[in-house]
Amino acid sequence: MSKTDLPRFHLLIPAAGSGVRAGGALPKQYTKIAGKTILRHTLDKFMQIQDLIKSIRVVIDPAHADLYHDAIAGLAIEPPVMGAGTRKQSVYNGLQSLCHPERSEGSLDSSALHQNDIILIHDAARPLVSIDSIQSLLLAMTTEKAATLVAPLADTIVGADYTIHDRTKLNAVQTPQAFIMPDLLVAHNRFKNDDSFTDDAGLMAASGHNVQLVAGERTNFKITTAEDLIMAERLLGNTTETRTGFGYDVHAFDPAPADNIRLGGIDIPFTRKLLGHSDADVILHAVTDALLGAIGDGDIGQLFPPSDQQWKGADSAIFVIEAVKRVHAKGGKIINIDITLIAESPKIGPYRGRMLTRLSDILQLPADRIGLKATTSEGLGYTGRGEGIVAQAVATITLPTTSS
Ligand code: MG
């Protein structure tokens, strides 16, 4: 059977839980991993087979309406259904909204609902379900009234008294679970006041229906704990990307005699200083441009124009601190900075330790992630003639991957 022959279905996602067991401040379905909320990852997975989907409804807690609308921005799905105290009751509300669309705020075409309509119920917190698994489940529904994905157990299962349960006879129940709509509704009505059921396949089995077990994948786990969040984020992959930025700066020596020169955020004794609108710290300027380059955010001249009087004589640490702030604002992390100073003099060797300490402070980066080297240009060119100093810097950062 090809994909186009698979039955079309209504999708219901109960997401009214307030479970914050995963450790975050938000209900887990609205926790962001790999750039999107868990609910959005789940919905986007189903959108890959949207030609098979007749309608999508998410059951939410009314208190989460804003979180929900942010999470589904740009998706064309039916309006949410308001949940209730238990998952079972929330699913029931979802079924009601499908059977009696006029009762909800939605505009579902009720003529789309038939006696043999299939409904898939899927946990919001299982974003890692595979398209293959969903298709296997749908294939089972061409002959069955109820089916659920299950995963094999890898660990030996024992009771508190170390009674070993034969794991080859046991399965871990997952979602989606698929049902013929009217049969599921009958089962829900039959056990309306029984809150002992934790899933819908259980209701169907208790009603005497065969529930077809369809082999799923262990990666389709339900995100429950903080550890699950980390695993899911890794499996969703490519959570960060690496960026590199390059900075280059030159300043000429002031012909007037001086006592100090500003380099790498500190004053070191020297007979000449550099000319510039700010403190002319050529190292910090190159570092600033390297960081801005890595996030594609212009350059030091755009952010701090020399025409602006407020930067006259400014401590260039301000520029670096602003660039670091911009990296952090994008969720970025500086991995390392490598700097080369090109000058015949002064020799920076005796001051290198102090410079590194200062750079480490300004960059909020351990000193062992900062390279600071100096070289001459062997008497060649303007640096060789002692007319000025050049600094080059390379910054490597990571940024969260934003593409979906
Ligand atoms: Mg400069």
Side-chain angles (χ1 to χ4, degrees):
M1 178 173 282
S2 76
K3 185 186 152 190
T4 50
D5 296 326
L6 289 170
R8 296 172 71 219
F9 61 93
H10 298 278
L11 176 63
L12 185 66
I13 297 185
S18 55
V20 289
R21 277 179 293 172
L26 292 171
K28 65 188 172 190
Q29 61 274 30
Y30 300 112
T31 301
K32 273 192 182 176
I33 54 173
K36 294 190 283 195
T37 63
I38 289 171
L39 173 62
R40 184 55 180 259
H41 279 290
T42 301
L43 286 167
D44 282 348
K45 178 59 62 70
F46 279 93
M47 293 315 274
Q48 292 177 31
I49 48 166
Q50 58 179 304
D51 49 330
L52 290 175
I53 300 180
K54 289 183 171 183
S55 74
I56 300 179
R57 289 188 170 233
V58 182
V59 187
I60 69 165
D61 180 338
H64 302 154
D66 289 346
L67 290 169
Y68 170 76
H69 287 291
D70 283 351
I72 62 140
L75 284 184
I77 63 178
E78 274 66 34
V81 179
M82 294 309 144
T86 64
R87 182 188 191 278
K88 179 163 160 276
Q89 184 63 41
S90 288
V91 169
Y92 187 77
N93 289 2
L95 295 177
Q96 287 294 323
S97 80
L98 265 164
C99 297
H100 306 286
E102 70 279 6
R103 284 193 200 161
S104 71
E105 52 184 300
S107 57
L108 179 71
D109 177 8
S110 58
S111 66
L113 206 58
H114 297 296
Q115 271 303 101
N116 293 322
D117 262 8
I118 291 171
I119 184 162
L120 259 61
I121 300 176
H122 184 61
D123 296 331
R126 293 188 195 265
L128 288 155
V129 62
S130 72
I131 298 296
D132 277 353
S133 290
I134 298 168
Q135 290 179 346
S136 300
L137 186 74
L138 290 172
L139 188 59
M141 288 305 289
T142 58
T143 55
E144 302 291 331
K145 287 191 166 187
T148 182
L149 288 180
V150 292
L153 297 171
D155 302 317
T156 297
I157 306 297
V158 299
D161 58 354
Y162 219 89
T163 315
I164 296 179
H165 300 263
D166 182 358
R167 69 164 183 250
T168 61
K169 292 181 181 154
L170 295 173
N171 291 281
V173 175
Q174 302 181 330
T175 69
Q177 301 185 334
F179 310 99
I180 300 295
M181 263 288 292
D183 295 288
L184 180 62
L185 201 55
V186 168
H188 262 270
N189 282 326
R190 179 169 171 187
F191 294 104
K192 197 161 174 25
N193 299 314
D194 186 342
D195 283 332
S196 64
F197 293 94
T198 54
D199 72 332
D200 300 280
L203 287 169
M204 289 291 274
S207 299
H209 292 287
N210 175 56
V211 177
Q212 185 70 28
L213 304 185
V214 177
E217 294 162 8
R218 293 179 65 210
T219 43
N220 180 25
F221 60 89
K222 186 175 181 179
I223 298 172
T224 307
T225 64
E227 193 181 20
D228 294 338
L229 271 180
I230 294 166
M231 280 199 292
E233 189 145 39
R234 285 184 189 160
L235 286 165
L236 286 163
N238 278 339
T239 56
T240 61
E241 60 188 33
T242 304
R243 302 274 196 96
T244 303
F246 177 67
Y248 176 93
D249 197 34
V250 189
H251 279 263
F253 282 118
D254 188 334
D259 299 323
N260 294 298
I261 183 170
R262 183 78 158 180
L263 281 175
I266 62 169
D267 289 317
I268 64 176
F270 193 55
T271 53
R272 300 170 79 184
K273 63 186 177 65
L274 293 170
L275 281 172
H277 183 66
S278 64
D279 64 7
D281 191 328
V282 71
I283 289 179
L284 296 194
H285 294 184
V287 168
T288 302
D289 267 353
L291 290 170
L292 294 174
I295 55 170
D297 192 6
D299 65 26
I300 191 171
Q302 280 173 7
L303 294 186
F304 310 101
S307 56
D308 188 334
Q309 281 308 302
Q310 69 169 307
W311 310 124
K312 190 167 169 49
D315 178 351
S316 296
I318 293 169
F319 309 149
V320 179
I321 288 165
E322 174 63 20
V324 170
K325 206 171 102 189
R326 285 171 180 246
V327 170
H328 290 169
K330 291 192 172 220
K333 183 181 169 198
I334 302 170
I335 304 301
N336 78 307
I337 303 274
D338 188 26
I339 302 160
T340 297
L341 188 74
I342 303 160
E344 298 299 318
S345 62
K347 298 295 175 204
I348 64 162
Y351 312 103
R352 191 171 169 279
R354 272 179 59 212
M355 263 185 214
L356 273 176
T357 303
R358 178 70 180 138
L359 286 164
S360 170
D361 254 17
I362 300 170
L363 288 161
Q364 300 168 52
L365 192 66
D368 64 1
R369 289 177 179 265
I370 303 170
L372 180 58
K373 315 174 300 297
T375 184
T376 72
S377 47
E378 300 288 346
L380 299 170
Y382 56 84
T383 50
R385 291 189 297 272
E387 295 167 8
I389 293 182
V390 170
Q392 299 180 343
V394 177
T396 303
I397 69 165
T398 56
L399 281 185
T401 304
T402 48
S403 58
S404 54

